Amino acid sequence: MWGITIEASSAPLRVELPWLQSDLLFLHSALHRRTLSASHRVTDSYVKGTLDVPLVEKTVGQCLDEKAERFPHHDAFVFHRDGVRKTFAQFKEEVDQAAAGLLALGLKKGDRLGMWGPNKYEWVLMQFATAQAGIILVSVNPAYQAHELEFVIRKVGCKALVFPACFKSQKYYDILKQSCPELENSSPGGIKSKRLPDLTTVIMLDSKLPGTFHMSEVMQAGDSSHMKQLRALQPTLSCSEPINIQFTSGTTGSPKGATLSHRNIVNNANLIGMRLGITEQDRMCIPAPLYHCLASVGGCMVTALHGSSCVFSAPSFEGRATLEAVSREKCSFLLGTPTMFIDMLSQPDFDSYDLSTLRGGVIGGSPVPPEIMKMVSTKMHMPEVLVSGGCCDESCKD
């Protein structure tokens, strides 16, 4: 029996520890295995099990390029409230212009760009433009106040931040100034902040305020040399490189940033589309916020993988606006949270909207009451609806 002897002022005390022998043997074995494997370095950290569906080994940009070539005249993105409609060919062209513009501003591969704001066309434009240039997109919650924004920017080292002047009660420029008072007296692209040392560049979507670039300037900044630089950059991008940082809500502490690679996002979107049976003939309505993966991956990236159209009903969720977008755009899929579906079902004029083109969708984020699942399936014509990130009981299957 293994044990230890404790010397005391009186006679020594023997303490038997039957588990000590097995633990020491385990440690010895582990050290032995480590010594043996030292000459056999692991070169691939990805552990792969049985694959019914092979993983897609493409970057975000490569996926968009393929769909733009295959479906140039199909609608890629529609922002219903704003009247914005882009085909795959139009979107691809503007993505390249934006990516070249970011390079012209001095951003480079590996830099972090924070996208902060509601569901606007420029959000999606930056999502794909950063991916084309190898810049890491940081999805920033549009409801953040100054201390939350400062935490996120400092945590990941954002070099650039993109946002509108305001949305609802949020005055984004003023919020940023609380952490970066130097902004107002800085030249565009030349911010030097004590509290946000990595931040140099602020891009605004609508107004041009002191210390900032306007989005139109970014779109015009890239010339032929920057486009050539962008083309040369493409072959250097790897599927395993990080391309997006998504933050948790922070309900149990400070938000945690999850770093996602091209491979993560591309294969997530590919499998979502396959599971739902989405094709290039489908139109998905997305009322969920773009800073969350339900919209940016389950919506935008599914479009880039499967050629479907992505319809955004309004800058933020509105039940009526969503029903109107589904009806007018003849959407076949609808993605949202349980509370969104409850809100839509409770609209006084619900029966006036033609939802007959719907056939399925996704409900995610929290548990789904069985009675809501039944109403979504029948009243909203969505028999193929799937629950993701929540649950409902067996009665839903009746």
Side-chain angles (χ1 to χ4, degrees):
M1 182 68 72
W2 287 48
I4 58 175
T5 301
I6 301 174
E7 295 289 347
S9 56
S10 58
L13 175 65
R14 178 73 177 175
V15 180
E16 301 295 345
L17 301 175
W19 45 265
L20 183 60
Q21 181 176 8
S22 61
D23 279 8
L24 288 173
L25 288 173
F26 174 80
L27 177 61
H28 178 270
S29 175
L31 290 171
H32 180 64
R33 289 197 305 273
R34 183 174 179 180
T35 301
L36 288 176
S37 63
S39 60
H40 299 85
R41 298 292 182 186
V42 176
T43 57
D44 188 352
S45 64
Y46 294 97
V47 178
K48 300 176 183 178
T50 303
L51 297 176
D52 296 328
V53 180
L55 293 179
V56 177
E57 297 294 329
K58 296 175 184 174
T59 64
V60 169
Q62 287 173 331
C63 295
L64 177 61
D65 291 349
E66 288 181 4
K67 291 303 172 288
E69 184 175 347
R70 187 177 176 189
F71 308 115
H73 305 302
H74 284 203
D75 282 346
F77 295 101
V78 177
F79 285 77
H80 184 71
R81 173 70 59 80
D82 297 333
V84 176
R85 188 180 302 270
K86 302 291 181 180
T87 64
F88 276 100
Q90 291 171 331
F91 183 64
K92 161 65 177 168
E93 182 179 357
E94 293 189 5
V95 163
D96 286 349
Q97 287 177 347
L102 293 175
L103 295 177
L105 264 56
L107 274 74
K108 58 185 182 298
K109 179 180 176 181
D111 285 341
R112 277 84 165 160
L113 178 146
M115 190 66 220
W116 184 34
N119 288 9
K120 306 287 284 185
Y121 170 65
E122 291 84 0
W123 209 111
V124 181
L125 183 64
M126 285 294 103
Q127 178 184 357
F128 285 87
T130 51
Q132 284 283 51
I135 297 166
I136 301 171
L137 180 81
V138 182
S139 305
V140 183
N141 190 325
Y144 274 172
Q145 296 303 307
H147 69 284
E148 297 164 314
L149 178 68
E150 180 176 338
F151 172 82
V152 165
I153 292 177
R154 288 178 61 89
K155 187 71 174 177
V156 301
C158 276
K159 185 174 182 178
L161 189 62
V162 184
F163 55 84
C166 59
F167 180 69
K168 294 184 177 180
S169 62
Q170 291 282 89
K171 296 182 179 179
Y172 293 114
Y173 185 84
D174 292 340
I175 292 173
L176 177 59
K177 281 201 304 180
Q178 294 180 46
S179 297
C180 184
E182 301 92 345
L183 174 63
E184 207 163 22
N185 298 313
S186 299
S187 60
I191 300 169
K192 294 181 180 179
S193 171
K194 291 182 180 179
R195 291 164 66 176
L196 305 175
D198 296 295
L199 185 67
T200 64
T201 305
V202 169
I203 301 168
M204 299 195 65
L205 304 185
D206 39 25
S207 306
K208 178 173 170 59
L209 296 176
T212 74
F213 289 106
H214 189 272
M215 180 59 74
S216 62
E217 294 177 292
V218 178
M219 297 300 289
Q220 297 166 11
D223 57 23
S224 58
S225 67
H226 299 108
M227 197 63 74
K228 184 178 180 180
Q229 181 184 351
L230 182 65
R231 297 287 175 252
L233 186 62
Q234 303 303 303
T236 71
L237 302 181
S238 166
C239 295
S240 61
E241 290 173 334
I243 205 61
N244 182 212
I245 297 177
Q246 298 256 351
F247 275 88
T248 63
S249 62
T251 52
T252 58
S254 298
K256 283 81 176 174
T259 302
L260 307 176
S261 67
H262 290 270
R263 183 184 280 109
N264 293 147
I265 292 176
V266 165
N267 284 283
N268 190 0
N270 186 48
L271 293 170
I272 289 172
M274 292 181 66
R275 181 66 180 86
L276 293 174
I278 289 177
T279 72
E280 69 274 10
Q281 302 301 320
D282 287 308
R283 301 173 74 81
M284 300 182 296
C285 184
I286 314 291
L290 275 163
Y291 79 89
H292 191 276
C293 60
L294 179 61
S296 62
V297 179
C300 300
M301 279 310 304
V302 168
T303 286
L305 265 295
H306 297 277
S308 52
S309 301
C310 201
V311 178
F312 291 91
S313 48
S316 62
F317 174 72
E318 297 176 27
R320 251 180 212 178
T322 305
L323 293 171
E324 181 181 336
V326 169
S327 178
R328 293 195 178 183
E329 293 294 332
K330 302 187 184 305
C331 295
S332 47
F333 285 88
L334 177 57
L335 284 66
T337 64
T339 53
M340 289 177 180
F341 281 93
I342 291 170
D343 185 280
M344 286 183 275
L345 287 163
S346 64
Q347 290 297 318
D349 58 347
F350 175 84
D351 292 330
S352 67
Y353 296 98
D354 181 6
L355 308 180
S356 61
T357 57
L358 283 175
R359 77 168 192 268
V362 174
I363 301 181
S366 63
V368 187
E371 60 273 16
I372 298 302
M373 282 292 289
K374 291 177 181 178
M375 292 176 71
V376 168
S377 179
T378 56
K379 293 190 69 175
M380 297 188 75
H381 305 280
M382 295 172 61
E384 299 173 27
V385 67
L386 298 177
V387 176
S388 172
C391 62
C392 57
D393 65 25
E394 289 297 311
S395 63
C396 293
K397 300 177 182 179
D398 295 339

